């Protein structure tokens, strides 16, 4: 698990998205036999009704999500019509989420049924029967769509379990469905080939995580995966005429 959430935090910051909770890798003698484990910053605003009530999450089906993308909800701070099907989430947030989830191949939010790639038998979507629902994908629920109660326009990316072992010929492009623009700041990092340099500088600050992944050699292997996916994403942006715009909201 530390490979996922700690790396995700650093990638989020390097891309300028700033939607994940701070996460570091630490060792505790009384946990996991002293092996490194992730420590994620506690944010009480995600639990306005108390811990027992759970996170503030948005309930949305795939069909409703795709409709909301067409409505471009809250763009230019224009209040949507009552029958638009819009949630409180700003339109640009979905673009940031899609980019982030594609690079890390996180499917537990936008593609819980693994409808956009070939899942393995041990994947959760197979074990729990979600994949069988792909024939009626419009009714599949999105999961882990989290926001702060005092700031419902912005998403918070939690439970960032990605997959570094998914090959380029089996990437989940369903994560990008309906997205017509991406954040300029993040895409510029991918285009200028500064991604590796920035990630190395950021990850090096977490000595425990750095060592747990085998030092520079292990970290480079993780970044190799993200760089290959970034290249695929840039090709997708060009091929589909996706706009790259400022998303400072």
């Amino acid at each position: 698990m530390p490979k996922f959430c700690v790396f995700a935090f650093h990638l989020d910051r390097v891309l300028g998205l700033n939607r994940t909770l701070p996460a570091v890798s630490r060792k505790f003698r009384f946990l996991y036999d002293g092996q490194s484990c992730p420590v994620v910053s506690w944010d009480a605003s995600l639990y306005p009704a108390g811990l027992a009530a759970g996170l503030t999450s948005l309930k949305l089906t795939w069909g409703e999500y795709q409709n909301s993308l067409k409505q471009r909800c809250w763009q230019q701070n224009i209040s949507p019509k009552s029958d638009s099907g819009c949630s409180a989430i700003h339109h640009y947030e979905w673009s940031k989420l899609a980019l982030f989830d594609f690079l890390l191949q996180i499917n537990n939010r936008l593609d819980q049924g693994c409808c956009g790639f070939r899942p393995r038998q041990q994947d959760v979507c197979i074990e729990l029967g979600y994949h069988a629902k792909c024939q009626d994908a419009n009714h599949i629920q999105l999961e882990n769509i989290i926001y702060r109660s005092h700031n419902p326009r912005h998403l918070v990316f939690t439970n960032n379990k990605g997959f570094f072992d998914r090959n380029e010929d089996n990437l989940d492009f369903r994560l990008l469905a309906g997205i017509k623009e991406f954040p300029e700041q993040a895409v510029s990092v991918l285009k200028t080939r500064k991604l590796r340099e920035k990630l190395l500088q950021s990850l090096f600050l977490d000595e425990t995580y750095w060592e747990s992944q085998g030092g520079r050699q292990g970290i480079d292997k993780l970044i190799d995966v993200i760089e290959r996916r970034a290249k695929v994403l840039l090709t997708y942006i060009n091929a589909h005429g996706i706009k790259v715009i400022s998303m400072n909201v």
Side-chain angles (χ1 to χ4, degrees):
M1 181 60 75
K3 179 189 294 187
F4 301 117
C5 71
V6 176
F7 189 95
F9 163 67
H10 288 271
L11 179 63
D12 169 67
R13 295 306 193 267
V14 162
L15 294 176
L17 302 175
N18 300 316
R19 292 294 181 268
T20 66
L21 299 177
V24 297
S25 187
R26 293 293 182 265
K27 293 181 179 180
F28 301 96
R29 286 180 295 177
F30 54 88
L31 286 175
Y32 307 111
D33 297 323
Q35 297 296 311
S36 63
C37 62
V39 178
V40 181
S41 176
W42 170 258
D43 189 337
S45 69
L46 299 177
Y47 302 86
L51 186 61
L55 294 160
T56 50
S57 62
L58 178 66
K59 301 301 181 185
L60 204 65
T61 65
W62 174 261
E64 291 168 339
Y65 164 60
Q66 287 297 304
N67 177 67
S68 74
L69 292 179
K70 296 175 183 177
Q71 298 297 324
R72 310 180 73 82
C73 306
W74 303 102
Q75 194 167 5
Q76 297 179 340
N77 292 320
I78 298 175
S79 298
K81 296 179 180 179
S82 58
D83 61 351
S84 66
C86 284
S87 68
I89 304 299
H90 193 285
H91 179 66
Y92 290 163
E93 293 297 287
W94 301 114
S95 296
K96 296 174 183 179
L97 178 65
L99 181 145
F100 183 73
D101 280 6
F102 183 81
L103 290 176
L104 288 169
Q105 285 297 290
I106 298 171
N107 64 274
N108 63 12
R109 283 188 274 256
L110 298 176
D111 190 15
Q112 185 185 198
C114 306
C115 304
F117 64 101
R118 300 182 302 277
R120 303 165 299 183
Q121 288 300 313
Q122 66 267 34
D123 286 338
V124 173
C125 60
I126 297 293
E127 293 182 345
L128 298 183
Y130 298 148
H131 189 62
K133 300 178 181 179
C134 288
Q135 293 180 345
D136 189 21
N138 277 344
H139 293 91
I140 295 180
Q141 288 283 337
L142 274 58
E143 295 290 337
N144 301 312
I145 307 300
I146 309 300
Y147 60 93
R148 294 181 174 88
S149 57
H150 67 275
N151 185 15
R153 296 284 181 273
H154 296 152
L155 293 172
V156 179
F157 303 165
T158 65
N159 194 18
N160 298 310
K161 183 180 180 181
F163 291 88
F164 287 92
D165 58 353
R166 191 173 295 160
N167 294 329
E168 278 70 52
D169 64 351
N170 192 32
L171 297 178
D172 191 353
F173 283 93
R174 185 178 175 83
L175 301 173
L176 307 178
I179 300 296
K180 304 300 182 184
E181 55 270 307
F182 281 118
E184 182 180 41
Q185 183 176 354
V187 173
S188 67
V189 174
L190 306 181
K191 281 186 174 180
T192 57
R193 303 184 182 276
K194 291 292 183 68
L195 181 62
R196 180 178 298 272
E197 177 186 343
K198 289 178 177 292
L199 278 173
L200 285 172
Q201 290 174 347
S202 184
L203 290 163
F204 186 71
L205 298 176
D206 190 337
E207 183 178 352
T208 302
Y209 181 78
W210 185 276
E211 292 177 352
S212 73
Q213 300 306 313
R216 172 67 184 266
Q217 184 175 7
I219 295 294
D220 272 332
K221 289 180 180 179
L222 298 180
I223 299 176
D224 286 344
V225 173
I226 302 301
E227 281 194 330
R228 289 195 297 269
R229 292 174 183 173
K231 185 177 181 179
V232 172
L233 179 60
L234 291 174
T235 300
Y236 178 93
I237 290 173
N238 291 330
H240 290 80
I242 306 295
K243 295 180 180 179
V244 178
I245 61 176
S246 175
M247 293 187 176
N248 297 322
V249 295

